[in-house]
Amino acid sequence: MSFIKKINRGLILTVAVILAVIVYLICLYSARANDRAEIKAVTEGVPQAAVKVIIETCLLTREEKIRACRLVKQSGAAYAKTSTGFSKSGATAEDVKLMRETLGEDFGIKAAGGIRSRSFAEELVRGGADRIGASKSVEICKR
């Protein structure tokens, strides 16, 4: 069964898109908005699914994070995610708070990467995360 058929049948509810950091930075500094158009093409192509864009906040400056969040929101995505968990670091409370301030209360934020304790997960939720992505989620919930 094709990817689109799975979405149409409700078998896939979310689609993750990684914001290509290098492409994003080139577009950002050359004043082009190609990434927005590419993300928008995904959101329009799978309207039944919630599109989540991974920003990789650990690779960006504060101003770049703000601009990335604005780009993601303008693209029609439903969520912004802090990290794939495979870069130099993962979610931070500071990044989640900045994302919430930038995206507003009605936009989804998923904190992921480096979340290994219940107290840190709770701190991220207090900072504005709607979802937590953690490979240790069962252990975190048991504590």
Side-chain angles (χ1 to χ4, degrees), residues 116-142:
R116 293 181 184 85
S117 72
R118 183 181 185 123
S119 62
F120 185 46
E122 289 171 345
E123 180 182 358
L124 294 168
V125 170
R126 283 192 302 274
D130 299 297
R131 293 184 180 182
I132 298 292
S135 59
K136 307 280 185 195
S137 56
V138 173
E139 293 173 33
I140 290 170
C141 291
K142 286 182 177 180

Side-chain angles (χ1 to χ4, degrees), residues 42-58:
V42 173
T43 61
E44 290 173 353
V46 290
Q48 309 86 327
V51 174
K52 168 179 54 187
V53 180
I54 305 166
I55 296 175
E56 282 304 4
T57 54
C58 65

Side-chain angles (χ1 to χ4, degrees), residues 19-29 35 59-60:
L19 181 63
V21 175
I22 301 215
V23 174
Y24 165 70
L25 292 174
I26 290 167
C27 292
L28 179 68
Y29 292 109
D35 276 355
L59 301 176
L60 303 176

Side-chain angles (χ1 to χ4, degrees), residues 29-91:
Y29 292 109
S30 67
R32 294 186 348 214
N34 291 344
D35 276 355
R36 183 182 318 126
E38 290 176 13
I39 298 166
K40 194 164 191 72
V42 173
T43 61
E44 290 173 353
V46 290
Q48 309 86 327
V51 174
K52 168 179 54 187
V53 180
I54 305 166
I55 296 175
E56 282 304 4
T57 54
C58 65
L59 301 176
L60 303 176
T61 66
R62 184 178 194 283
E63 184 57 36
E64 290 165 349
K65 292 171 197 176
I66 292 169
R67 291 172 118 177
C69 284
R70 289 178 181 157
L71 181 144
V72 170
K73 188 168 185 176
Q74 292 167 357
S75 73
Y79 275 84
K81 182 177 169 182
T82 59
S83 173
T84 58
F86 298 109
S87 192
K88 64 182 185 177
S89 65

Side-chain angles (χ1 to χ4, degrees), residues 78-106:
Y79 275 84
K81 182 177 169 182
T82 59
S83 173
T84 58
F86 298 109
S87 192
K88 64 182 185 177
S89 65
T92 68
E94 180 181 325
D95 284 343
V96 169
K97 185 176 179 190
L98 177 64
M99 291 170 73
R100 177 56 65 211
E101 289 169 359
T102 305
L103 294 166
E105 292 299 320
D106 60 337

